[in-house]
């Protein structure tokens, strides 16, 4: 009787051990199966379930490329704006230069008499109380005198040793004196242009013969050599 009881107890123990072992084996096997299926996507759990909640992934390189493109676009826009500003400045400068050139062309100096020949030069001593303050152009009584440049007549009257004298003030303030005239062709306030007749050669004032005494006085100040002034303006007396 005790032998049978022992055999029965041993059988139950063996059966329980096998059952527990089977469950552990099955449990381990199921875990490994699920793990394997999760990698392969072949398990009962769908691949969409595995991806739920992960969201859209953007790589760091993509963001950097987008930022670089934006920076490049800003640099291009800035360069184009600077180019437009520079081109506008160049156009403005060219327009000013052209306007200045046209103005100079309109105010080119000319010789005051035609034909032209000079006698006494600026700075000479001898016949005058001090040095000679102008340039003398030879000419006959009544020969026409022409304005050497554009300007406004600021004086036309008799002036002692200078005789009948016309003063034309240029745009830059330079005064041109035309002296010893026999007659006036313009009046104070008149606007004259280069080559316009303003009077006639004479022998009024302190002279030894008919001629035009011409002086150049920048800013209405002291006289300078008229020959130099003519040369600066492209004219050789």
């Amino acid at each position: 009787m005790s032998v049978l009881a022992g055999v029965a107890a041993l059988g139950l123990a063996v059966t329980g051990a096998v059952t527990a072992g089977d469950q552990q084996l099955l449990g381990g096997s199921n875990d490994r199966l699920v793990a394997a299926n999760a990698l392969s996507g072949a398990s009962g759990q769908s691949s969409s379930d595995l991806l739920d909640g992960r969201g859209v992934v953007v790589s760091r390189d993509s963001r950097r490329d987008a930022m670089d493109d934006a920076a490049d676009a800003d640099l291009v826009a800035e360069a184009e704006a600077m180019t437009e500003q520079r081109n506008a400045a160049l156009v403005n400068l060219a327009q000013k230069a052209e306007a200045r050139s046209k103005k100079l062309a309109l105010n080119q100096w000319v010789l005051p008499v035609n034909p032209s020949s000079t006698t006494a030069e600026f700075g000479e001593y001898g016949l005058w109380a001090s040095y000679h303050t102008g340039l003398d152009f030879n000419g006959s009584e009544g020969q026409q005198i022409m304005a050497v440049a554009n300007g406004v007549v600021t004086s036309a009257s008799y002036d002692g040793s200078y005789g009948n004298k016309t003063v034309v003030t240029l745009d830059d303030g330079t005064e041109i004196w035309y002296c010893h005239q026999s007659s006036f062709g313009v009046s104070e306030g008149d606007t004259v242009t280069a080559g316009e007749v303003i009077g006639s050669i004479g022998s009024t004032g302190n002279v030894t013969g008919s001629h035009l005494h011409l002086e150049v006085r920048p800013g209405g100040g002291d006289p300078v050599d008229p020959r130099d002034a003519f040369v600066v303006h492209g004219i050789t007396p």
Side-chain angles (χ1 to χ4, degrees):
M1 185 68 175
S2 59
V3 173
L4 291 174
V7 171
L10 180 58
L12 290 173
V14 171
T15 301
V18 171
T19 302
D22 289 343
Q23 290 176 352
Q24 291 176 357
L25 289 174
L26 290 174
S29 175
N30 288 339
D31 291 340
R32 285 191 297 274
L33 180 60
V34 170
N37 288 345
L39 292 175
S40 64
S43 69
Q45 188 176 13
S46 68
S47 58
S48 61
D49 293 338
L50 295 173
L51 292 176
D52 284 345
R54 293 180 60 188
V56 178
V57 179
V58 179
S59 71
R60 184 177 301 174
D61 290 341
S62 297
R63 290 194 299 269
R64 185 180 295 114
D65 290 343
M67 293 174 63
D68 289 344
D69 290 343
D72 290 344
D74 290 342
L75 289 175
V76 170
E78 183 178 357
E80 290 178 346
M82 292 178 63
T83 300
E84 290 179 359
Q85 292 177 357
R86 183 192 64 184
N87 290 341
L90 289 175
V91 169
N92 185 45
L93 181 62
Q95 290 174 343
K96 288 182 177 180
E98 183 178 2
R100 176 62 176 168
S101 178
K102 289 180 178 179
K103 184 176 181 179
L104 290 175
L106 290 174
N107 197 24
Q108 288 293 323
W109 283 32
V110 299
L111 291 172
V113 296
N114 184 29
S116 173
S117 64
T118 59
T119 54
E121 296 286 333
F122 177 85
E124 291 183 357
Y125 288 88
L127 300 175
W128 309 274
S130 60
Y131 69 92
H132 191 224
T133 55
L135 179 64
D136 287 354
F137 290 83
N138 190 30
S140 59
E141 189 84 15
Q143 184 177 343
Q144 291 181 335
I145 300 172
M146 293 167 286
V148 301
N150 300 347
V152 176
V153 177
T154 50
S155 176
S157 62
Y158 186 84
D159 185 14
S161 61
Y162 287 104
N164 290 332
K165 180 184 74 174
T166 297
V167 178
V168 176
T169 302
L170 309 186
D171 290 343
D172 64 0
T174 298
E175 292 182 355
I176 309 296
W177 290 13
Y178 306 84
C179 309
H180 307 312
Q181 296 176 233
S182 62
S183 63
F184 298 106
V186 292
S187 301
E188 184 176 340
D190 289 347
T191 298
V192 298
T193 57
E196 181 177 342
V197 175
I198 61 172
S200 301
I201 289 178
S203 55
T204 58
N206 294 341
V207 296
T208 58
S210 62
H211 69 279
L212 168 65
H213 172 86
L214 184 141
E215 293 191 8
V216 177
R217 293 175 175 258
D222 294 335
V224 298
D225 190 345
R227 184 177 292 277
D228 291 342
F230 276 106
V231 170
V232 166
H233 288 85
I235 301 294
T236 301

